Amino acid sequence: MDPSSRPTSVSTTATGATDTREDLLRSFIKLMLVTTSCAFVLLPPYTPQISFGFQCAAFAPFYLVLAISWTLLRRGRSNTAAWSLLTGTLVLQIGASVFNSHIAAQALVSFLNLILIAGFTIGRRAAVLTTSIAAPCVIVFQLMSERGVLPSPLMGTSGVEAQIITVVATILTTGGIVSLGLMHVNRALQRERDSLRQSQQNMERFIEENNARLRAEESLQRSQKMEAIGRLSAGVAHDFNNLLTVILGGTELAILKSGRNEDA
């Protein structure tokens, strides 16, 4: 059997999984960039008390995290890019929640988004770690908000419209993350099915080639046996012929002697 025809699905699957995870992380970064930009553009008309410069300063760290994650991803460091996106956004969201207590609803959905991103791009342990950080933060924020010990909001009290915009943008991000994540899962399942199908075909091909080789060997052995039997038969026939020649010769001599005796 040709070694190149043996199953190589393990390495192919690993490479495909890495490429798909990078594509998924790239899609997450683009999604977060779009929703963040939408919120940045739509908020000013509903937050006149906030200067444009202050709003730029508030959004700049989020854009910086996205830029750093994108740069790391472009350099092939997908795992570092995912951790950078996760930790940077988590720290910024905690800070935003502390100094802007009126965005508690948006912060809760943002934490959920980070848990989903961690699970889809890094793995189960990262999702558990993010949950273990986000859940206590939400509880602490709620307790501090009820007791009135949180700092005064830096951006002032936003109107209902502004809060709706931030919450809707965050929810749209959640929907996009879930949709992209499910697409990633479906592609991974399809890739595994294709890999199993290819492995099965390779195995069937291997078995067929092995059976053909065994049949060829059996045919060769049968032909060799028949050849040996033929040689043995020829040898026995030759020896038997020699024996018959001796017997016939002796018989003829006996007949000749018998005839001479009768003439005498």
Side-chain angles (χ1 to χ4, degrees), residues 228-241:
I229 293 173
R231 290 178 180 177
L232 178 61
S233 300
V236 171
H238 183 267
D239 293 340
F240 189 71
N241 185 50

Side-chain angles (χ1 to χ4, degrees), residues 191-227:
R191 187 174 59 252
E192 289 297 328
R193 285 194 292 266
D194 294 340
S195 176
L196 290 175
R197 188 180 301 110
Q198 183 64 34
S199 298
Q200 183 178 3
Q201 292 176 355
N202 292 338
M203 184 60 66
E204 291 176 353
R205 189 181 305 114
F206 171 76
I207 294 174
E208 181 62 27
E209 292 177 358
N210 188 56
N211 291 337
R213 181 177 59 82
L214 292 177
R215 287 194 296 268
E217 291 179 354
E218 291 176 356
S219 177
L220 178 60
Q221 290 175 358
R222 284 196 300 268
S223 64
Q224 290 175 345
K225 289 179 180 179
M226 295 300 295
E227 183 181 358

